[in-house]
Amino acid sequence: MEFGSPGMIAILVICGFLAGLIDSVVGGGGLIGIPALLAAGIPVHLLLGSNKLAGTLCSFTSTASFMKSGKIDFSLVKVLIPFSIIGAVSGTLTVRQVPSEFLKPLVIVMLVVITIYTLFKKAWGDVSTFKGSTAKTRLIGVAVAFGIGFYDGFFGPGTGSFLIFAFLMMGFEFVTAAGNAKVLNFASNISSLITFIALGSVSYSYGLIMGIPMIIGAVVGSRIAIRKGASYIRPLFITVTVILIGKQIWDTMHS
């Protein structure tokens, strides 16, 4: 399929919308976006950077939607953003030097734990029990922001799930946990994207063709999430996490 052909553009537009719809709430858009870019014929060395461009547009849009609804705790996340940025840049630079394949078994285990924990805590995330930002929560948050930011820049799959889980553990309900997660995800995305651009690893044409419909998907997805709350986010969170587990197992078995 030639670049710019109607078929290629259709693949990227449809997949971009679906990726944005999912990624805007619980992450995991790369499950759709990366295979779509590969199917469209993108050169492999431009794959991650171009997907990061599309993902950054999506995370910016969903962050703006959650911000407008007031479903972000800025007193906490404003402290965490710099550490997410530092982590993401460090991870993006590291992945150029060290293969990320060794992380797959660990990611599978962590995603399984998250899924089981969420399934058994049925009312978890329905009501906020967060007591406010304290020295302890900020310290935990800094470690989480840097660690998951590094992971996002270095490897990526499951970043949204890990961030939401971390905020749920702090006591936030699902909607605010998703809003907080999108802020940090946007911070790590844009800093990682800038690093990819500096390294010459981004195709703007591929990234924008998929990124623009991702913006539309992000608007739709975040609005549904804000309106329906945990009844929508919880099953979507579990579904995407289970799919991520399956994909990581498949990739590990066939690598």
Side-chain angles (χ1 to χ4, degrees), residues 90-133:
S90 301
T92 304
L93 292 174
T94 302
V95 78
R96 305 276 295 189
Q97 311 297 326
V98 181
S100 60
E101 298 301 307
F102 71 90
L103 275 182
K104 286 182 180 178
L106 177 61
V107 171
I108 293 169
V109 172
M110 292 173 66
L111 289 171
V112 168
V113 170
I114 285 174
T115 305
I116 293 173
Y117 191 90
T118 307
L119 282 170
F120 278 90
K121 295 204 67 167
K122 297 190 180 299
W124 196 40
D126 289 347
V127 179
S128 177
T129 59
F130 183 66
K131 303 300 182 183
S133 182

